[in-house]
């Protein structure tokens, strides 16, 4: 093989490695979900401003409570991944309560189907899941389109399944008290989510 | 063909099997046809030296296809038109490059590349079938499984066809088919041109 042949071979190999590296975020992520988690972990992102209405019909905002938030995105008609998320959040709620962390961490479930998920339906959904209103809030955006910037930042993609339902990826999102997204975790990583939420939560208030 | 693939892209990309298994081959093949239409051009002599036995070119072409099959890349192409445009251009270019390098490649290199492509795509198909989660955020789990099965079936068919063609080629070799004789004449003429006998 000539020198030029060698140059050709080596440069094509380097180009292939560069392309595969670019596609996989430097060989760290095969899927966009993994890539998003890694991006947020290294560079927390300020979430875009968005208005919410909670299950009592009152205006609610992410930073209202001055606590860290563990956030998930659901819809009440979901029969698949959202019920798993609901179970995880129940476990989180019970951990938060038993560890006495309710003044520092709270849970927020946002629906991406506000046309169906009215405050009354959200209230019913919360009751079904035995949500404690001091720890776990359910809320809806004014419209599905208003939620789009948030979904994009969270890396959530919603695909209608053609049967009045949706297919969507799911994760636990940890947001600090100032509204910065600090972690995206798989739905079974509840201990990790709580740990990260506490890290960015305000310090425990010392009782006088 | 290219026009069809690009115009239909929004339709094709809505479904994973159509996106990966119809649009990709369409784009790749249109690149190949385009290159065949151009034929051997002025730059080919220079390229011949860098593209020894066609290996670098074929490696690059398969690298392009493999990169776009990474789930993260597929999602990017569906979500942003910039990435989609890059995908279209690169797949067409890869097809053209593959066609030119294939012509330079001796039988053993062709056999290796074809065999490699078959098992690589079959493996990807099996991975898609077996994956517990959705790999692409843009597509449903059902589509993922369908794509997996179809990919395995297609590579099985193409692989068998390629093997049959290869075996037939081996059987024909002693007589020398017309095309291979022509190739031998051409390469001999090229060598004479480049290194005229003293």
């Amino acid at each position: 093989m000539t020198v030029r042949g060698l140059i050709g071979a080596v440069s094509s190999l380097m180009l292939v490695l560069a392309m595969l590296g670019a596609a996989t975020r430097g060989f760290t992520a095969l899927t966009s979900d993994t890539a998003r988690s890694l991006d947020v972990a290294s560079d927390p992102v300020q979430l875009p401003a968005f208005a919410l209405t909670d299950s009592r019909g009152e205006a609610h905002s992410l930073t209202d409570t001055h606590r860290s938030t563990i956030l998930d995105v659901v819809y009440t008609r979901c029969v698949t991944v959202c019920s798993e998320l609901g179970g995880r959040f129940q476990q989180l709620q019970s951990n938060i309560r038993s560890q006495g962390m309710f003044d520092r961490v709270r849970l927020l479930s946002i629906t991406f189907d506000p046309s169906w998920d009215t405050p009354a339906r959200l209230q019913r959904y919360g009751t079904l899941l035995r949500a404690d209103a001091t720890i776990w809030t359910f809320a809806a955006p004014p419209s599905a389109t208003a939620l789009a910037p948030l979904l994009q930042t969270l890396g959530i993609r919603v695909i209608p399944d053609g049967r009045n339902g949706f297919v969507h990826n799911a994760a636990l999102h940890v947001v600090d008290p100032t509204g910065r997204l600090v972690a995206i975790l798989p739905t079974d990583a509840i201990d990790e989510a709580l740990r990260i939420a506490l890290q960015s939560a305000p310090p425990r208030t010392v009782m006088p | 063909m290219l026009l069809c693939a690009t115009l239909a892209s929004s339709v094709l990309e809505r479904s994973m099997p159509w996106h990966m298994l119809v649009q990709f081959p369409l784009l790749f093949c249109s690149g190949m046809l385009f290159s065949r239409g151009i034929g051997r051009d002025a730059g080919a002599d220079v390229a011949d030296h860098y593209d020894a036995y066609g290996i670098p070119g074929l490696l690059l072409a398969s690298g392009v296809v493999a990169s776009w099959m990474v789930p993260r890349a597929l999602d990017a192409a569906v979500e942003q038109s910039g990435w989609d445009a890059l995908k279209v251009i690169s797949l067409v270019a890869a097809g053209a490059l593959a066609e030119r390098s294939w012509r330079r490649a001796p039988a053993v290199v062709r056999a290796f590349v074809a065999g490699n492509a078959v098992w690589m795509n079959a493996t990807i198909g099996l991975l898609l079938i077996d994956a517990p989660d959705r790999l692409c955020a843009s597509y449903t789990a059902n589509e993922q499984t369908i794509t997996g099965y179809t990919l395995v079936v297609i590579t099985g068919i193409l692989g068998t066809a390629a093997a049959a063609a290869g075996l037939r080629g081996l059987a024909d070799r002693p007589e020398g088919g017309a095309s291979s004789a022509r190739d031998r004449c051409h390469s001999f003429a090229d060598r004479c041109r480049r290194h005229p006998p003293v």
Side-chain angles (χ1 to χ4, degrees):
Chain A
M1 193 183 280
T2 64
V3 172
R4 277 183 286 183
L6 203 59
I7 292 174
V10 169
S11 17
S12 71
L13 186 62
M14 285 173 65
L15 271 170
V16 170
L17 287 174
M19 282 189 295
L20 287 173
T24 57
R25 195 185 171 278
F27 302 103
T28 57
L30 281 177
T31 65
S32 37
D33 284 354
T34 313
R36 192 98 201 116
S37 293
L38 293 168
D39 284 339
V40 165
S42 53
D43 282 310
V45 179
Q46 186 68 37
L47 289 177
F50 56 100
L52 291 170
T53 309
D54 67 17
S55 51
R56 290 169 305 184
E58 289 169 13
H60 185 86
S61 118
L62 190 58
T63 49
D64 263 352
T65 64
H66 307 291
R67 293 180 274 177
S68 282
T69 306
I70 301 179
L71 172 72
D72 70 353
V73 182
V74 294
Y75 69 108
T76 64
R77 281 185 289 180
C78 178
V79 294
T80 54
V81 67
C82 305
S83 42
E84 198 229 333
L85 269 176
R88 300 291 181 193
F89 264 45
Q90 281 176 317
Q91 281 174 285
L92 274 168
Q93 179 178 259
S94 120
N95 290 355
I96 290 172
R97 207 189 269 132
S98 63
Q99 291 174 37
M101 297 297 175
F102 41 85
D103 55 340
R104 302 172 67 202
V105 183
R106 59 85 173 239
L107 304 171
L108 176 61
S109 292
I110 302 182
T111 176
F112 56 74
D113 187 15
S115 53
W116 180 263
D117 293 333
T118 58
R121 288 207 171 99
L122 287 175
Q123 178 87 286
R124 228 170 316 167
Y125 191 63
T127 313
L128 266 171
L129 287 169
R130 285 194 275 255
D132 177 344
T134 58
I135 299 176
W136 191 353
T137 309
F138 291 81
S143 67
T145 41
L147 199 60
L150 176 68
L151 291 182
Q152 176 139 15
T153 313
L154 296 178
I156 300 277
R157 273 196 65 104
V158 179
I159 314 167
D161 70 3
R163 275 170 297 160
N164 262 341
F166 301 96
V167 170
H168 60 104
N169 49 348
L172 302 175
H173 307 92
V174 184
V175 182
D176 74 10
T178 64
R180 273 190 337 157
L181 179 65
V182 296
I184 302 177
L185 299 163
T187 54
D188 54 0
I190 55 176
D191 294 328
E192 178 76 4
L194 205 45
R195 187 187 66 78
I196 297 177
L198 287 171
Q199 251 175 4
S200 39
R204 170 161 286 213
T205 45
V206 180
M207 301 300 282
Chain B
M1 202 191 237
L2 176 61
L3 216 52
C4 286
T6 340
L7 286 173
S9 68
S10 58
V11 173
L12 284 173
E13 287 174 21
R14 220 170 288 158
S15 151
M16 192 189 204
W18 285 96
H19 188 178
M20 204 195 264
L21 304 175
V22 174
Q23 196 201 41
F24 274 38
L26 272 180
L27 292 172
F28 197 82
C29 289
S30 57
M32 288 176 70
L33 291 174
F34 180 64
S35 165
R36 198 179 286 188
I38 293 182
R40 197 173 168 79
D41 65 7
D45 285 332
V46 178
D48 271 346
H49 293 290
Y50 289 99
D51 193 15
Y53 307 108
I55 294 174
L58 289 169
L59 180 66
L60 200 49
S62 23
V64 169
V65 177
S67 301
W68 285 112
M69 285 174 85
V70 170
R72 180 165 173 261
L74 212 61
D75 274 337
V78 172
E79 286 168 30
Q80 287 170 349
S81 46
W83 286 114
D84 204 25
L86 182 63
K87 180 199 77 188
V88 167
I89 295 171
S90 59
L91 282 176
V92 172
L97 183 61
E99 203 273 326
R100 301 185 99 71
S101 293
W102 187 260
R103 277 191 258 142
R104 289 187 197 107
V108 65
V109 171
R110 292 184 183 187
F112 177 76
V113 167
N116 209 42
V118 165
W119 85 251
M120 186 181 88
N121 283 298
T123 310
I124 292 174
L126 290 172
L127 284 172
L128 285 174
I129 295 171
D130 274 340
D133 301 313
R134 287 187 306 135
L135 295 170
C136 286
S138 323
Y139 295 121
T140 65
N142 219 28
E143 286 175 324
Q144 185 170 292
T145 316
I146 293 173
T147 309
Y149 278 112
T150 317
L151 194 54
V152 171
V153 167
I154 290 179
T155 49
I157 294 174
L158 288 179
T160 319
L167 288 169
R168 215 180 316 122
L170 280 173
D172 284 343
R173 211 194 287 169
E175 291 89 87
S179 59
S180 64
R182 206 180 335 118
D183 284 348
R184 281 201 295 272
C185 283
H186 279 159
S187 67
F188 181 65
D190 283 346
R191 274 203 296 271
C192 288
R193 203 169 11 95
R194 270 178 259 158
H195 308 285
V198 183

